[in-house]
Amino acid sequence: MKSKKFLAVLIICILSMSIMSIPAGARLITNANDDGYYKAYAIEDLTAEDFLRVAGINWFIKPADASFGGVTVISSSLPGSNWLDTEFGDAGAGKPITATAVEGEDGVYRIRHWSRGASPTFEASLLEGEKYAQYVLGSYWGTFEVVRYEWLDSAGNVIQKKGAAAPELKPEPEPVEGKLGTADALIVLRVAAGLMEETDELLAKYDLNSDGELTTADAILILRAVAGV
């Protein structure tokens, strides 16, 4: 049953997914000197409350070469908090952080500087006066551009940047009376994944293989009918 639920969630994601565009303001990183670092300023990006939840960062880079590597750093104005660094590299580099390819984004890799269950990185005193708190990215070998970055909390969840709009949820089209469509398939998949309750009404309408429950098999039958196969 777990595998069926996983498959249902996977199909929902595939049907709902749209490929994200790469921002035009990406910066090229060629070496890790003082001018070559890319800096992400947490105090500027986040509210005070969210700033105190930061426990890591996802960097997204686009390398020019197959072989690349560098360093990701925690840096702040607190004594002893400068240059707490961790190296990263491509799959064959053998570094503590391995860059992983981002599905759906050609040539883009994610570098995750985060430890599971980690304590917040920065302290409240950094919010007072002219102080800084940042994560920094630099290259040791290979050239790449920084596409974007995401702040992470201690659970690894993305922290929304200050002023960022909430993700837009597009309303699903209403099923056409008497005709099944992709919207119906999504309903069945949600039931199969445990995201919706299976009711007698839904069962009567969507149990196409008459096995007494709504599963991914029913959703696939609907999708095949939509595709005319």
Side-chain angles (χ1 to χ4, degrees), residues 95-221:
K95 298 299 181 181
I97 299 175
T98 298
T100 57
V102 178
E103 186 177 353
E105 296 188 52
D106 187 33
V108 176
Y109 290 79
R110 185 191 70 175
I111 300 156
R112 182 171 241 197
H113 189 171
W114 170 79
S115 297
R116 187 180 299 275
S119 300
T121 301
F122 304 119
E123 297 180 11
S125 58
L126 289 168
L127 296 170
E128 304 167 2
E130 296 296 324
K131 297 185 178 181
Y132 64 90
Q134 60 195 11
Y135 273 68
V136 182
L137 190 75
S139 170
Y140 281 164
W141 73 94
T143 299
F144 53 82
E145 61 183 10
V146 179
V147 176
R148 66 184 182 277
Y149 59 86
E150 299 171 336
W151 298 107
L152 304 174
D153 64 16
S154 59
N157 299 315
V158 175
I159 303 174
Q160 198 169 11
K161 293 181 182 178
K162 189 164 46 181
E168 182 182 356
L169 298 177
K170 295 182 180 180
E172 294 177 10
E174 291 290 330
V176 178
E177 184 67 27
K179 183 178 180 180
L180 299 180
T182 54
D184 298 284
L186 285 171
I187 291 172
V188 175
L189 289 169
R190 288 193 176 96
V191 173
L195 304 176
M196 283 180 61
E197 182 182 357
E198 182 181 276
T199 65
D200 291 339
E201 182 182 359
L202 291 176
L203 194 61
K205 185 175 183 179
Y206 296 128
D207 185 17
L208 301 188
N209 61 2
S210 302
D211 64 353
E213 60 178 340
L214 296 182
T215 66
T216 54
D218 298 299
I220 291 172
L221 288 174

Side-chain angles (χ1 to χ4, degrees), residues 7-106:
L7 179 59
V9 173
L10 180 61
I11 297 176
I12 290 173
C13 292
I14 292 172
L15 289 174
S16 306
M17 182 175 61
S18 61
I19 298 174
M20 299 175 63
S21 60
I22 296 175
R27 175 175 170 181
L28 192 67
I29 304 296
T30 55
N31 55 65
N33 56 41
D34 289 341
D35 296 325
Y37 287 113
Y38 185 99
K39 298 176 182 178
Y41 297 97
I43 294 177
E44 294 180 7
D45 279 349
L46 305 170
T47 64
E49 181 181 2
D50 285 339
F51 171 79
L52 297 177
R53 296 169 53 217
V54 171
I57 194 169
N58 279 336
W59 296 104
F60 294 88
I61 68 169
K62 192 167 188 178
D65 309 297
S67 178
F68 59 90
V71 62
T72 175
V73 184
I74 303 171
S75 178
S76 77
S77 55
L78 286 178
S81 293
N82 280 320
W83 299 113
L84 303 176
D85 60 279
T86 306
E87 293 184 334
F88 68 87
D90 56 74
K95 298 299 181 181
I97 299 175
T98 298
T100 57
V102 178
E103 186 177 353
E105 296 188 52
D106 187 33

